[in-house]
């Protein structure tokens, strides 16, 4: 399979759906502005550019693009841009939020602070990783938002990722709860959490997926490693979703796959009233398009299933 094929497939799947009217927050550099414009050209989003108008126009001039086709909402600075974008989402004037050239803490802080964007679930981040040599997309969660999640937090993190997988067409995702080992050890808290999450799935406190854990990373993605260690599991070697113990482990895992393994990585925040496209300043064009495609597919799916 060619590099990025899973992400290209997501973009193709999203095209044809009505594009998402999306507030792009503080797109004042060429990379974030061009990412939004490329997504608009691919008919994934209808950007509403929110930020200091002079800086956005300067970035457009440097990039050699026109802002004439797009709505602009002028604000004084990045903090005001985040607040104004959140207001647009609360007022249902936009259907999604997209991070531009500002820090994640500033962007997400404005969202988390607004209770009207909350659902019954905790917000969490999911990376969609297109790794060469792995036959399906890997969902890694949470590697960006929840620092050191409690067991209760992990219930929402797992359910959010399962629901996202359903929206993307995976009817019964296999969920590996990761730790350093594949046996339960009182000395390693993540193994205790993993065993509890699996039992909660047995009791239907988590639904829609097949859970197993604790599993080490090799056992989760390699049939050979699982077989060598004598692990009999429907998840081992076939994982669709990798649930990491904390943000440090997850961030390292995702970036190692990206920078050493040649993976393409996109991402989205789920569990809010609207999809939140959380791009990185280092993201390539395909990753940005894939993130927008995932947001679009998710939003339209939620509209279909909403009572």
């Amino acid at each position: 399979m060619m590099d990025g094929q899973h992400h290209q497939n997501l973009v193709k799947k999203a095209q044809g759906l009505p594009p998402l009217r999306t507030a792009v927050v503080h797109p004042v550099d060429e990379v974030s502005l061009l990412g939004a414009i490329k997504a608009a050209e691919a008919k994934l989003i209808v950007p509403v550019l929110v930020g200091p108008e002079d800086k956005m126009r300067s970035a457009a001039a440097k990039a050699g693009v026109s802002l004439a086709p797009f709505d602009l909402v002028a604000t004084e600075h990045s903090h005001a841009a985040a607040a104004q974008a959140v207001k647009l989402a609360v007022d249902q004037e936009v259907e999604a939020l997209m991070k531009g050239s500002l820090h994640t803490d500033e962007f997400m802080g404005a969202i988390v602070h607004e209770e009207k964007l909350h659902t019954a679930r905790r917000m969490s981040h999911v990376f969609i990783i297109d790794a060469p040599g792995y036959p399906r997309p890997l969902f890694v969660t949470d590697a960006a938002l929840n620092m050191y999640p409690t067991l209760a937090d992990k219930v929402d993190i797992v359910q959010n990722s399962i629901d996202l997988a359903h929206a993307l067409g995976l009817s019964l995702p296999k969920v590996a709860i990761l730790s350093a080992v594949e046996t339960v050890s009182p000395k390693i808290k993540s193994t205790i959490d993993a065993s509890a999450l699996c039992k909660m799935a047995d009791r239907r406190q988590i639904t829609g997926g097949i859970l197993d854990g604790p599993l080490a990373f090799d056992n989760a993605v390699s049939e050979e490693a699982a077989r060598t260690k004598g692990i009999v599991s429907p998840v081992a070697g076939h994982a669709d979703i990798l649930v990491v113990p904390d943000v440090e482990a997850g961030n390292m895992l995702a970036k190692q796959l990206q920078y050493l393994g040649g993976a393409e990585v996109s991402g989205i925040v789920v569990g809010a009233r609207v999809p939140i496209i959380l791009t990185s300043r280092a993201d390539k064009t395909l990753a940005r398009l894939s993130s927008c495609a995932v947001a679009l597919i998710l939003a339209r799916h939620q509209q279909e299933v909403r009572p």
Side-chain angles (χ1 to χ4, degrees):
M1 179 171 285
M2 63 187 292
D3 289 351
Q5 186 63 55
H6 295 312
H7 281 173
Q8 291 179 38
N9 290 342
L10 284 170
V11 173
K12 289 177 183 176
K13 181 174 182 175
Q15 288 173 330
L17 295 172
L20 275 181
R21 186 168 172 83
T22 302
V24 185
V25 182
H26 205 247
V28 298
D29 65 352
E30 293 177 62
V31 173
S32 60
L33 182 61
L34 283 174
I37 291 174
K38 291 287 186 184
E41 291 172 349
K43 301 188 186 306
L44 300 171
I45 67 171
V46 177
V48 177
L49 306 177
V50 185
E53 185 171 351
D54 56 342
K55 290 184 178 180
M56 292 192 292
R57 293 197 180 280
S58 175
K62 289 177 183 177
V65 296
S66 171
L67 298 186
F70 310 114
D71 290 341
L72 271 63
V73 177
T75 66
E76 186 177 354
H77 42 59
S78 59
H79 187 74
Q84 182 60 41
V86 165
K87 185 177 186 302
L88 291 173
V90 168
D91 293 343
Q92 298 183 11
E93 294 183 34
V94 297
E95 301 173 277
L97 298 169
M98 182 175 180
K99 177 176 171 283
S101 181
L102 75 169
H103 289 295
T104 297
D105 286 352
E106 186 175 16
F107 175 64
M108 287 305 304
I111 295 167
V112 172
H113 182 71
E114 177 50 73
E115 290 188 5
K116 291 179 181 177
L117 290 184
H118 288 223
T119 67
R121 299 257 188 88
R122 186 174 185 85
M123 294 180 203
S124 58
H125 183 271
V126 183
F127 276 123
I128 300 95
I129 298 181
D130 194 339
Y134 201 69
R136 64 190 68 85
L138 269 174
F139 298 75
V140 174
T141 189
D142 182 337
L145 195 58
N146 292 285
M147 301 293 107
Y148 303 106
T150 64
L151 176 59
D153 296 337
K154 289 180 181 179
V155 172
D156 284 350
I157 288 169
V158 172
Q159 193 66 65
N160 283 342
S161 65
I162 291 172
D163 290 352
L164 176 61
H166 290 173
L168 297 181
L170 194 57
S171 60
L172 193 65
K174 296 178 173 66
V175 184
I177 316 297
L178 295 188
S179 186
V181 295
E182 62 279 352
T183 53
V184 178
S185 170
K187 296 180 180 179
I188 306 177
K189 181 181 179 297
S190 58
T191 69
I192 305 295
D193 286 354
S195 61
L197 289 166
C198 292
K199 182 50 66 176
M200 293 171 86
D202 289 345
R203 296 290 185 263
R204 298 193 57 78
Q205 292 171 267
I206 299 170
T207 60
I210 303 171
L211 273 65
D212 196 14
L215 289 172
F217 177 76
D218 56 345
N219 305 324
V221 300
S222 167
E223 286 184 72
E224 182 181 356
R227 188 165 52 247
T228 299
K229 293 191 176 181
I231 299 172
V232 179
S233 161
V235 175
H238 303 279
D240 299 299
I241 299 171
L242 304 177
V243 180
V244 297
D246 57 44
V247 76
E248 292 174 324
N251 193 272
M252 290 177 199
L253 171 59
K255 289 183 177 175
Q256 284 165 2
L257 289 170
Q258 182 178 13
Y259 287 97
L260 295 181
E264 292 278 355
V265 177
S266 59
I268 186 172
V269 173
V270 289
R273 292 286 176 193
V274 297
I276 299 163
I277 304 163
L278 193 62
T279 53
S280 165
R281 285 167 289 180
D283 280 349
K284 298 176 184 177
T285 298
L286 180 57
R288 291 175 183 273
L289 291 180
S290 176
S291 297
C292 292
V294 170
L296 174 54
I297 295 167
L298 175 62
R300 299 303 175 228
H301 173 80
Q302 289 175 334
Q303 287 174 347
E304 288 179 2
V305 301
R306 192 173 293 142

